[in-house]
Amino acid sequence: MKTESMSCRLGCGACCIAPSISSPIPGMPNGKKAGERCIQLDERNLCKLFGDSSRPKVCSDFSATLDVCGSTNAQALALITELEELT
């Protein structure tokens, strides 16, 4: 896969589950572990903090790309999990 920008797939949530996040998240002051669902991810896999200034910088800086997100939600979860394990 090549690094190519893409639009985020609404309802995917892979970037809110697979990676660890070391910065504080509202409701998760110590961040989150890899594979742990972010408390700010709603039942439709949408970020409750999207567009809010309290959203962690690491989250707002994330840009979906084909090489990280693949072409399906399941592929995104697998790819981001693999990247997390490699780092």
Side-chain angles (χ1 to χ4, degrees):
M1 285 183 215
K2 51 186 180 170
T3 302
E4 185 178 314
S5 230
M6 60 181 274
S7 294
C8 187
R9 283 187 300 275
L10 292 178
C12 174
C15 60
C16 303
I17 299 169
S20 61
I21 298 177
S22 58
S23 56
I25 301 165
M28 301 179 97
N30 299 315
K32 64 172 231 50
K33 297 177 185 172
E36 179 180 13
R37 185 179 178 85
C38 178
I39 196 167
Q40 297 299 333
L41 193 61
D42 73 13
E43 64 283 344
R44 297 171 297 153
N45 280 349
L46 299 175
C47 178
K48 297 177 198 173
L49 299 177
F50 192 83
D52 189 296
S53 63
S54 65
R55 186 175 181 213
K57 183 171 174 20
V58 68
C59 299
S60 57
D61 285 352
F62 179 80
S63 294
T65 59
L66 285 174
D67 61 332
V68 173
C69 301
S71 56
T72 67
N73 297 356
Q75 203 173 38
L77 190 58
L79 289 168
I80 297 172
T81 297
E82 181 179 6
L83 288 170
E84 176 70 26
E85 290 170 356
L86 292 171
T87 59

